[in-house]
Amino acid sequence: MALLQISEPGLSTAPHEHRLAVGIDLGTTNSLVATVRNGLSVVLNDEHGRPLLPSVVRYFKDGSVVVGCDALAKLGDDPHNTIVSAKRFMGRGLKDLPDLATLPYHFVDAPGMVQLKTIAGVKSPVEVSADILAVLKQRAVQSLGGELTGAVITVPAYFDDAQRQATKDAAKLAGLHILRLLNEPTAAAIAYGLDNAAEGIYAVYDLGGGTFDISILKLTQGVFEVLATNGDSALGGDDFDRRIFCWLLEQAGLSVLDDHDKALLLTKAKEAKEMLTEHPEVRLTAVLSTGEFIDMTLSEAKFNEMTASLVNKTLVPTRKALRDAGLQASDVKGVVMVGGSTRMPRIQAAVGEYFGQTPLTNLDPDKVVALGAAMQANVLAGNKGGDEWLLLDVVPLSLGLETMGGLVEKVIPRNSTLPLARAQEFTTYKDGQTAMSIHVLQGERELVSDCRSLGRFELRGIPPMVAGAARIRVVFQVDADGLLSVSAREQSSGVEAHIAVKPSYGLSDDEIGRMLKESYEHAQQDVQARQLAELKVDAERLLDATRTALEENGSELLDAAERAAIDGLMASLATALGGLDARAIKRATEALNQGTTEFAGRRMDLSVKRALTGHKLEDIGV
Amino acid sequence: MDFSRDYFEVFGLLPVFGIDAETLNQRYRDLQAEGHPDRYAHADAAEQRRALQWSTRVNEAYQTLKSPFERARYLLERQGINALDPNNTRMPMDFLMRQMAWRESLAEAVAAGDIAALARLEAMTRAEADKAIQGLGELLDVRPDYPAAAEALRQYRFLEKFLVDIDNAYSEIE
Ligand SMILES: Nc1ncnc2c1ncn2[C@@H]1O[C@H](COP(=O)(O)OP(=O)(O)OP(=O)(O)O)[C@@H](O)[C@H]1O
Ligand SMILES: [Mg+2]
């Protein structure tokens, strides 16, 4: 008989413990979390089996937060406090946002990054993103049954340093350990390439809700080498919605709309756009808060006409990326389509025409980014299988320094492979100059004012010399996340300065520390707050449903006393909703539920009766 | 990695202009597969830093050797010649005249929005650049004549810059 193997207490018998790591696609419209399980990358669903978490966050007066479908459902009712597309504001100042007029928010112009005034106080886009990440983290912990080693979070390839830093801050705030920031098209290429054992030159065309990326990759023996990337971090499905929205206003002769109606019409516009993917025309109807009724028909042809310039806008970066890679459209072996907006037939046609081939649409454009991110997370966490492939990505935008006359001297050209370092020498321009200000910029333009300012720092204590004698060596280091740090050193004296470039307006580590501390302190309150928020959502839903039912057949099915009883129950629930007492809300909800059971039963009978009238009995098998 | 090794040694190549591109690419992938920071994401901070430096150095070496311009410049630097010394801008007259004629054609093509003319100009410049690279190989590897190579490199730089301008012209027209 074989001896039983007994392991030492505390030592696992498993030769290699599987570390829990996830990939997160933090999208403008939808977010997902995925993981590698038994060697296979899978998206983790929520408790209702839904993979996509709408990137929508609703804030309540008491500080509670609701994220996802329930928040999305209330968009029209509570537009100021229900934040959609927060990703568009990450690392962006007020002046960077061209479409303010169509947004229903109260913006606060904080230095550099805008903030949003909500009923729960002023929120930074970083906090909004952190609220989304926290829900996904929770989903992962629950479904994997343990704490996470870390996460790979995807960002648009064309995100600049400020936007990347903001994303990293959001993850930190959500209590996630970041293994890596990964570019979205690269993640898609990994998922596609590993699944299909692809070799050769591939293009990834990623048009999501708010961003557009194009990446050109070379796949050779398990090495994914990004040759060039380009894009527009403010171009996506949202813009197509806005074109329809503007057309609606024009057609209906509307000029001023309140924020409620803005949110309503934007939602309608988006629905219409998505319908047009399957239908040659759609009907758009809405009742505005003024009582005005909108009823219009939009044809595919008209839609294509008004969005043609947006489609073309994606081809310009596509051309640039190919040119930077030193390739022609015909060198590309396959075009991988990513992002919900690539479902639009016009987009598929335009891309197909440009590359002279039918694009690859056989993978789920919603999930492929998260799946690729999970594969990379699995590797970075040190789980096995990781040494079979490697990823080499690039910096998307040139990095440089301000020189005399407000000009930018490029130090690192765009599309350089990560990680990289580059040194440049500068000198003083005045006799006896002892300090030098160093201004770091990112972008392709020549003027400082046209590039994004990433930070300024000073090198002091340069020994006084005649102009032009000092030799100041500035070193840029960009790490594998694509994040920059800069150091400067005067060569003859050895005076040194070093900064990890924090965008001028990013959150400082102190600020993040404070937010983290606050969130720990509130952790207990948060659990209660979340429960309260969920109860409120349920209660509101019930109130809504009852109201609609009463409108539809209250008078027909209820006598005056019954009606008064239900009205009374609704009023007490509404009162309870105004307060913070979770138990009171729960009780009032249950009471209304009970009190309307009979009414609901009668409605059911009525609808069955209605469904039967007009049918011959044998039709329904009686 | 021994950081004192020069770029050719990093890739195990002889220090010549005429290197085999496929060998360079293959060795580059092998080197990165070994020491890229992604391989050390779960290692301690010191190891991570070393991987960062190592991988940075491999990239730097690869970028230099991959580009014919940078490779030639690096080879000349090893011979103690700064090919792009700002004090030395000597350029043959006929080369300069030809450059001026080309620039005029470029301006005309842009003004007329003539993509076909741009494409012709681009093809011509590329052919010229390819010829210049062959010439560099001859001057650096066969003869070798380093001062002449330095001059050829300066001319080649004109061609590369001109190609960038053509690129920009495309964007301007489109
Ligand atoms: N059937 C469809 N037809 C047209 N558009 C669609 C369709 N389905 C989804 N979309 C659009 O796709 C967009 C969302 O795509 P996706 O979920 O890929 O974006 P995201 O990842 O959230 O955004 P981003 O990658 O820009 O941050 C929305 O604008 C949505 O309207
Ligand atoms: Mg996306």
Side-chain angles (χ1 to χ4, degrees), chain A residues 180 220-221 223 225 319 323 376 380 382 386-387 389-392 417-421 477 479, chain B residues 25-26 28-29 32-33 36-39 41-42 52 55-56 59-60 62-63 167 170-171 174:
Chain A
R180 173 87 13 123
T220 329
Q221 301 154 18
V223 177
E225 193 180 348
R319 257 178 227 124
R323 215 170 278 155
Q376 173 78 340
L380 295 182
D387 41 7
W389 54 279
L390 177 73
L391 181 62
L392 298 166
T417 307
L418 301 173
L420 78 158
Q477 170 85 58
D479 65 15
Chain B
N25 292 340
Q26 182 63 51
Y28 170 65
R29 288 193 293 265
Q32 287 293 15
H36 191 272
D38 281 3
R39 296 277 188 257
H42 54 286
L52 176 67
S55 179
T56 296
N59 276 332
E60 190 178 283
Y62 181 57
Q63 293 308 326
D167 256 13
Y170 275 115
S171 320
E174 275 157 6

Side-chain angles (χ1 to χ4, degrees), chain A residues 28-78:
Chain A
T28 311
T29 323
N30 297 302
S31 299
L32 298 93
V33 58
T35 196
V36 172
R37 221 185 239 157
N38 307 323
L40 223 63
S41 192
V42 288
V43 169
L44 302 175
N45 294 342
D46 70 3
E47 67 272 20
H48 303 291
R50 295 175 297 210
L52 270 58
L53 175 74
S55 306
V56 184
V57 182
R58 182 179 179 195
Y59 291 100
F60 291 87
K61 196 170 179 181
D62 55 21
S64 57
V65 182
V66 170
V67 180
C69 290
D70 291 333
L72 181 62
K74 288 291 164 184
L75 189 55
D77 296 358
D78 192 14

Side-chain angles (χ1 to χ4, degrees), chain A residues 3 94 131 309 394 443 453 520 620:
Chain A
L3 288 173
L94 208 50
D131 285 326
S309 64
V394 299
S453 164
Y520 285 135
I620 49 172

Side-chain angles (χ1 to χ4, degrees), chain A residues 69-205:
Chain A
C69 290
D70 291 333
L72 181 62
K74 288 291 164 184
L75 189 55
D77 296 358
D78 192 14
H80 303 303
N81 304 307
T82 309
I83 316 298
V84 300
S85 301
K87 186 169 168 180
R88 288 201 143 195
F89 314 139
M90 293 287 267
R92 286 287 167 264
L94 208 50
K95 69 168 170 36
D96 301 319
L97 304 174
D99 43 24
L100 284 178
T102 57
L103 294 169
Y105 306 122
H106 300 305
F107 287 104
V108 183
D109 197 11
M113 194 174 347
V114 290
Q115 306 200 321
L116 302 136
K117 202 146 104 198
T118 74
I119 197 167
V122 175
K123 298 283 172 186
S124 142
V126 171
E127 289 174 87
V128 181
S129 301
D131 285 326
I132 298 168
L133 289 173
V135 171
L136 293 173
K137 179 188 172 190
Q138 191 53 33
R139 185 191 289 186
V141 168
Q142 246 158 30
S143 122
L144 300 178
E147 277 307 311
L148 305 180
T149 302
V152 166
I153 298 186
T154 60
V155 290
Y158 216 55
F159 254 22
D160 64 27
D161 200 84
Q163 293 167 304
R164 284 169 199 268
Q165 197 67 59
T167 308
K168 220 173 171 179
D169 288 348
K172 224 190 264 182
L173 203 53
L176 280 167
H177 171 60
I178 290 228
L179 295 165
R180 173 87 13 123
L181 292 178
L182 177 62
N183 291 326
E184 287 162 13
T186 312
I190 293 174
Y192 177 82
L194 290 181
D195 263 9
N196 297 277
E199 293 266 312
I201 305 286
Y202 281 80
V204 180
Y205 180 104

Side-chain angles (χ1 to χ4, degrees), chain A residues 266-332:
Chain A
L266 274 172
T267 308
K268 292 282 178 189
K270 180 175 174 156
E271 283 167 9
K273 174 192 73 178
E274 293 177 6
M275 290 275 286
L276 280 172
T277 291
E278 306 283 341
H279 306 275
E281 62 174 42
V282 290
R283 194 165 154 206
L284 272 135
T285 56
V287 185
L288 301 184
S289 50
T290 53
E292 204 166 340
F293 192 66
I294 291 194
D295 183 357
M296 256 169 299
T297 302
L298 176 60
S299 70
E300 190 186 350
K302 181 73 206 164
F303 172 66
N304 287 345
E305 180 196 316
M306 65 199 187
T307 56
S309 64
L310 294 175
V311 176
N312 281 332
K313 226 173 147 185
T314 69
L315 294 180
V316 177
T318 304
R319 257 178 227 124
K320 284 193 189 149
L322 273 173
R323 215 170 278 155
D324 280 356
L327 296 169
Q328 316 272 315
S330 55
D331 295 326
V332 172

Side-chain angles (χ1 to χ4, degrees), chain A residues 25-28 30 87 184 206 208-209 211 338-339 365 369:
Chain A
D25 175 1
L26 180 61
T28 311
N30 297 302
K87 186 169 168 180
E184 287 162 13
D206 179 355
T211 59
V338 184
V369 168

